[in-house]
Amino acid sequence: MTNDRPVRVRFAPSPTGMLHIGGARTALFNWAFARSNGGKFILRIEDTDTERNSDESLQSILESMKWLGLDWDEGPQAEGDFGPYYQSQRVDMYQAAIEKGMGEGWLYRCFATADELESQREEARSNKVNWQHDARWRELSANESQAKADAGDAFVIRFRVPVGECVVIKDHIRGEVKFASDEVEDWVAVRSNGMPTYNFVCAIDDSEMQISHVIRGEEHLVNTPKQVMLCQALDMPVPDFAHVPLILGSDGKKLSKRTGDTALGDYIKSGHPDDALFNFLCLLGFAIDDKTTVFSRDELLQNFELKKISKGGALFDTDKLNWICGEYIRNTSVDDLCTAVAPFMVAAGYQLAPELLAKLVTALQPRANLYSHFSEQAAGLVSEVTYDEKAKKELSKEGVLQYLELVAAQLQDGEWPPTDFFDLVKQIASDNEVGVGKVMKPLRCALTGALGGPELADVLNILGREQSISRLAKAGQLV
RNA sequence: GGCCCCAUCGUCUAGUCUGGCCUAGGACACCAGGUUUUCAUCCUGGCAACAGGGGUUCGAAUCCCCUUGGGGUCACCA
C-alpha cells in the first residue's frame, strides 16, 4: 500500500483569507509526516483564483505557519528544485498539458455558457432530478470545435471522463476508496478566461513536484478521482492520499465562524501559547497512545503515523484547549513567560519594569490559561484599584477598620517584603479572638478590590510598601 | 436526492486491521471530598460509552450484512 518514493508532501493554501484552523492542522500533519520520515515539506501557493487573491492573505498565512513552528523546505522564501511554488507562475506547464490533452482528445471545448448551465441546474433541482453536466459538446468534432473557437465563441475546456471505469484511490487513513467514473462529471479544467482550475493544476503540480503523499482535508476526497484520472491521462505518477477528518464546530458541522473563531490568527491574538495550540490541534483526530495527552513536538515526531489519524470528524472543544493552554503556562519558566506576556502587557497599556513583571507573572501563573489573562488580571495590581460590589460589602463589615489599621501599622516598619506576613495576620486574628479569614478577607479586598486573587504576600510584593499602606488607608476611608 | 466518508462516555480518544488479556483504559468537562487566607493551582474519589438488528464463531467493541444516525460533496472556489 505504501509507495516507496522519497517522502515529499505539500500544504497548498490559497491566499484568499487567513489560515483556517482546519488548514493549520492539515499543514501540521503534513509537516509531522515529512519530519518524522526524513522527507520534504513543501509549501505551494494556489493562487489561480485571481479575483480573490491578496498579498495580505498570503503574508498572514506565512506568519501563522511560522508561529506554529511549521517550517517548510521548499516554497515561498525557500529555495527548491521544483519551483516556481506559486501556481500563477506555472502557467506554461499547464499550457503544455492543455495542448497535450486537446491533441489527444481527453480535453474538449464546451460552449455552454455559465447562465445556460445554471438554468439547467435550476430545472433539475425543481424536478428533483440529479443534475448531470451538459454533454452536448462532448462529441463535437475537432474541426467544428476549432471553427467555433476561431469564430470567437466563448468556451471552457472540460475533461473527457472515461466511461465505465473504476477509479481506486489509495488512502492511508481510509484504505481503498472506489469511485465509478460514470459518477464523475466532465469537470471544467480551463475557465473561459483561459485560467486552469484547481483540480487541473493541483494534480499536475503534485505530479511535477513529485509529491509522494497528498495529505489534505476530507472535503477533497470527492475531487480525488478527477485528479487521479488526469494523472493517468498525462501518464504521470499518482500520489498516495490521506484524507484527514474535518474539524467540526460545536454544532457538529464543518467549523465555521458561527460557532467560534476559525482563523489561527485569532487564537494567536487572544494569547494562546504556540506549543499548546500545536498540541491541541494534534489531539483533534490523533492520539499517540491510550495515555498521553500533553506532548512535545519531538514526542509527536517519534510517534507520528498516518494510520493513527482517526477517520471521524472531531468537535473543536474550547474547554480542552483552555485547559491545555493552562498546562503549558504552568510548565513554562517565569523568564520565558515574561517574554511571552510582555507584548500583551504593552498592548494593555502597562509599562512594567522587568522585576515587577516577573513578580506579577509568578503570582498569576497558576491562574492563567492565556497570555492575555496576565494583563487582564494585572488590572488591580499595577494600576489604580477599583472595588467590586462584593469587596465593598466585605469592607463594610464590623470591625474591619481596626484590622486594616493594625496591619498597616505592622507594615510601616520592618523588613520589606515581609517574610512572615501570614504569621502577622494570624497574630492579629488571635489577639482579637477571630478566625484568620475575618482579617484576611477584608485585607484582600482593601489591597486588590476583589475577593479572589493571588497570594496576599505576592500582592504586597507587587504593590510595594508605600502603595500597600496607602491602599489600606484608602479602603479604611471607604469604611 | 445521487455519490463518498464516518459511527466507543456530553467532548477528544485507546482498543478495531492481526476476534479472547475489555468487568472497555486515559484526558477534558461535570459532581463530591482534601490542601489553601480567597479564587486558582494541586491531590483523592465519583458519574459516564461499544447506535440498533441480524449473522459468522467456542468466543465479537473488534469480521460480514441490513437499518438508523451524522458528515462531506454535487461552481468557470479551492
Side-chain angles (χ1 to χ4, degrees):
Chain A
M1 172 110 182
T2 316
N3 68 40
D4 49 10
R5 296 199 274 158
V7 168
R8 290 177 57 80
V9 294
R10 90 301 195 274
F11 177 61
S14 70
T16 53
M18 307 234 281
L19 181 60
H20 189 271
I21 205 87
R25 189 192 53 163
T26 302
L28 159 31
F29 283 157
N30 272 284
W31 176 88
F33 185 65
R35 293 287 172 266
S36 60
N37 285 289
K40 297 285 188 202
F41 177 48
I42 292 126
L43 184 61
R44 183 176 74 218
I45 306 303
E46 309 229 321
D47 53 354
T48 57
D49 185 355
T50 47
E51 309 269 307
R52 296 194 296 166
N53 293 331
S54 80
D55 188 56
E56 192 192 357
S57 296
L58 174 62
Q59 294 312 321
S60 102
I61 289 170
L62 298 185
E63 262 174 50
S64 292
M65 298 269 299
K66 289 177 193 166
W67 182 86
L68 251 196
L70 308 180
D71 55 319
W72 52 96
D73 305 300
E74 299 172 26
Q77 305 171 2
E79 292 299 311
D81 298 332
F82 297 85
Y85 295 93
Y86 292 84
Q87 291 184 325
S88 57
Q89 295 169 19
R90 300 173 65 83
V91 287
D92 289 351
M93 292 181 212
Y94 308 142
Q95 198 51 47
I98 293 167
E99 278 160 25
K100 190 167 194 280
M102 292 300 288
E104 294 176 356
W106 44 266
L107 291 179
Y108 68 90
R109 294 188 191 89
C110 169
F111 294 92
T113 66
D115 287 347
E116 261 181 323
L117 295 175
E118 186 45 47
S119 62
Q120 285 176 17
R121 268 192 284 267
E122 192 51 50
E123 196 184 327
R125 262 195 294 272
S126 60
N127 293 337
K128 294 190 174 168
V129 176
N130 276 321
W131 154 254
Q132 290 193 313
H133 80 278
D134 181 352
R136 276 178 298 161
W137 308 99
R138 185 175 154 111
E139 303 308 335
L140 193 68
S141 76
N143 286 343
E144 285 174 284
S145 171
Q146 187 65 52
K148 275 182 79 68
D150 289 344
D153 290 5
F155 61 87
V156 298
I157 294 179
R158 289 182 185 272
F159 183 86
R160 188 188 306 277
V161 172
V163 176
E165 286 190 5
C166 178
V167 183
V168 181
I169 286 146
K170 292 198 322 189
D171 190 293
H172 286 256
I173 297 173
R174 282 152 222 286
E176 292 192 342
V177 183
K178 297 180 176 134
F179 292 87
S181 69
D182 297 0
E183 297 289 343
V184 181
E185 62 157 9
D186 282 0
W187 47 281
V188 174
V190 184
R191 300 178 177 92
S192 53
N193 67 5
M195 184 64 83
T197 60
Y198 162 75
N199 281 305
F200 194 74
V201 300
C202 175
I204 290 175
D205 286 345
D206 286 339
S207 283
E208 294 267 3
M209 293 181 175
Q210 295 181 22
I211 300 303
S212 60
H213 302 256
V214 170
I215 304 166
R216 66 190 356 171
E218 191 185 353
E219 72 267 30
H220 288 291
L221 188 50
V222 290
N223 283 320
T224 311
K226 299 175 185 173
Q227 299 178 8
V228 169
M229 285 188 273
L230 175 59
C231 288
Q232 288 166 345
L234 280 165
D235 201 24
M236 295 181 102
V238 179
D240 284 8
F241 295 90
H243 287 94
V244 308
L246 264 18
I247 296 180
L248 311 173
S250 47
D251 58 355
K253 306 226 162 111
K254 198 155 81 158
L255 190 64
S256 76
K257 283 180 181 146
R258 231 198 316 281
T259 48
D261 286 338
T262 55
L264 186 76
D266 294 329
Y267 292 87
I268 301 175
K269 267 187 224 142
S270 49
H272 293 73
D274 52 0
D275 289 340
L277 196 57
F278 182 99
N279 193 153
F280 176 71
L281 252 22
C282 289
L283 254 24
L284 254 28
F286 177 85
I288 283 184
D289 55 32
D290 60 337
K291 296 263 157 57
T292 315
T293 307
V294 179
F295 49 81
S296 67
R297 285 175 165 78
D298 280 344
E299 284 170 283
L300 171 71
L301 295 187
Q302 275 158 29
N303 291 283
F304 187 79
E305 285 175 73
L306 288 178
K307 67 174 184 186
K308 281 188 180 172
I309 296 175
S310 44
K311 299 180 178 123
L315 260 58
F316 191 89
D317 180 1
T318 42
D319 275 336
K320 193 155 189 174
L321 172 59
N322 251 323
W323 168 80
I324 209 164
C325 286
E327 285 295 295
Y328 273 84
I329 283 184
R330 264 160 253 127
N331 284 310
T332 303
S333 72
V334 171
D335 276 358
D336 290 347
L337 263 185
C338 284
T339 308
V341 162
F344 290 88
M345 288 296 178
V346 173
Y350 301 130
Q351 304 287 338
L352 306 182
E355 310 81 60
L356 181 55
L357 180 60
K359 285 179 194 169
L360 198 62
V361 162
T362 308
L364 263 20
Q365 187 173 21
R367 70 205 72 232
N369 290 327
L370 304 179
Y371 294 147
S372 52
H373 287 169
F374 287 90
S375 51
E376 285 165 21
Q377 292 176 27
L381 299 172
V382 296
S383 59
E384 205 56 30
V385 63
T386 54
Y387 302 93
D388 65 25
E389 285 311 312
K390 283 180 182 169
K392 284 179 186 163
K393 195 175 169 193
E394 182 64 34
L395 286 169
S396 68
K397 286 182 181 168
E398 204 173 326
V400 160
L401 185 58
Q402 61 158 323
Y403 301 142
L404 298 185
E405 284 170 349
L406 283 168
V407 173
Q410 292 289 335
L411 294 178
Q412 202 71 50
D413 305 302
E415 248 186 303
W416 191 267
T419 48
D420 52 355
F421 177 69
F422 186 38
D423 291 338
L424 185 154
V425 175
K426 275 203 286 200
Q427 188 59 50
I428 291 174
S430 73
D431 287 352
N432 290 276
E433 296 178 331
V434 294
V436 178
K438 286 279 185 209
V439 184
M440 272 297 186
K441 273 184 167 181
L443 194 52
R444 165 175 299 284
C445 291
L447 290 168
T448 68
L451 228 42
E455 301 260 348
L456 271 191
D458 289 337
V459 171
L460 288 176
N461 194 208
I462 291 164
L463 292 175
R465 191 198 301 267
E466 208 172 305
Q467 179 66 215
S468 300
I469 291 169
S470 95
R471 283 190 181 190
L472 290 177
K474 186 183 169 195
Q477 287 161 14
L478 273 179
V479 179

